[in-house]
Amino acid sequence: MGWFTPDIKTMDDLFVHQLRDIYYAENQITKALRQMIAKATDQQLKAGFEKHLQETKVQIDRLEQVFKLHGVDIGGVSCPAIDGILTEANEIVGEVADKAVLDAALIAAAQAVEHYEISRYGTPIAWAKELGRNDCAILLAKNLDEEKATDQKLTTMAEGRVNRRAA
Ligand code: FE
Ligand code: FE
Ligand code: FE
C-alpha cells in the first residue's frame, strides 16, 4: 500500500484511513494476546494479558462507535507495521525454551505492541479535534490511556523480574 493512495485526498480521508489502520491492528492484537496468554507461565503476566485482552475488545467496540459517529463503514485496512511486530514476536518467542526467559520475551514483545499503539492513537486524537470531532477524540483517548497503563504495568513486571533475579 502506497503512502498516499489516490483515495486519500483530504484530512478527513486521512483520519478515516488511520482509524482503519488501528482497527485492523487491534483485531490482530486480539489474536496475538490469546497466544500470549497461552504461553505465559508467570501467573501475574498471564492475568495481565487476560485483562488487556478484555480491554482490547472494548477498544474495538469504541473504534466501531467512532466509525459510526463519523458516518463511515466499520472496517480495517491491512497494517504491515503491526503484522511485522507480531511476526517478530512469534519468531523470538518460538525460539525460547526456558520458561522464565520466555516470560521476559513475552513482556518485551508486548511492550513493542503497546508502544506501536501509543504511537498510533495520538495522531487521530489530534486530527479528530481538528475536524471538530471531539466525540471521537474522547473515545480514542480512552484507548490511548489503556495502552499507556498497560505499558506501565509491563514495565513494572519487567523490573520485578530483574529485581527477583538480582536478589
Ligand atoms: Fe489496543
Ligand atoms: Fe499501519
Ligand atoms: Fe494494547
Side-chain angles (χ1 to χ4, degrees):
M1 176 168 308
W3 258 90
F4 286 92
T5 48
D7 52 320
I8 300 176
K9 295 190 184 77
T10 64
M11 278 310 293
D12 197 279
D13 296 337
L14 192 58
F15 173 63
V16 173
H17 181 84
Q18 185 90 340
L19 291 177
R20 297 200 183 291
D21 183 282
I22 193 76
Y23 184 72
Y24 171 90
E26 293 288 11
N27 278 286
Q28 296 307 109
I29 291 164
T30 299
K31 293 179 209 163
L33 278 168
R34 288 201 180 95
Q35 294 171 352
M36 292 164 102
I37 291 165
K39 290 205 162 142
T41 54
D42 180 272
Q43 287 311 302
Q44 193 194 358
L45 182 60
K46 206 185 255 291
F49 285 150
E50 267 159 12
K51 180 172 188 262
H52 199 49
L53 173 59
Q54 296 316 312
E55 282 176 343
T56 301
K57 288 178 185 168
V58 176
Q59 291 176 356
I60 289 170
D61 287 344
R62 288 195 196 107
L63 286 172
E64 290 177 356
Q65 277 177 259
V66 169
F67 284 123
K68 282 182 198 160
L69 284 167
H70 201 55
V72 292
D73 293 339
I74 293 167
V77 290
S78 70
C79 171
I82 195 67
D83 285 341
I85 289 169
L86 295 176
T87 299
E88 193 176 299
N90 264 325
E91 281 171 9
I92 187 103
V93 164
E95 282 167 17
V96 180
D98 180 277
K99 285 188 186 309
V101 179
L102 175 62
D103 281 343
L106 286 167
I107 291 173
Q111 284 201 287
V113 171
E114 296 314 311
H115 285 216
Y116 177 73
E117 294 183 280
I118 290 166
S119 79
R120 290 327 245 173
Y121 273 113
T123 328
I125 290 168
W127 290 344
K129 289 177 187 163
E130 192 181 321
L131 292 165
R133 288 242 72 108
N134 261 311
D135 48 357
C136 297
I138 289 165
L139 288 163
L140 294 168
K142 284 184 186 169
N143 286 9
L144 176 60
D145 286 346
E146 288 173 355
E147 314 301 14
K148 285 181 178 169
T150 302
D151 179 50
Q152 269 303 316
K153 281 179 212 156
L154 287 164
T155 297
T156 305
M157 277 191 249
E159 286 169 354
R161 268 194 69 258
V162 172
N163 291 343
R164 274 200 304 279
R165 286 201 137 207

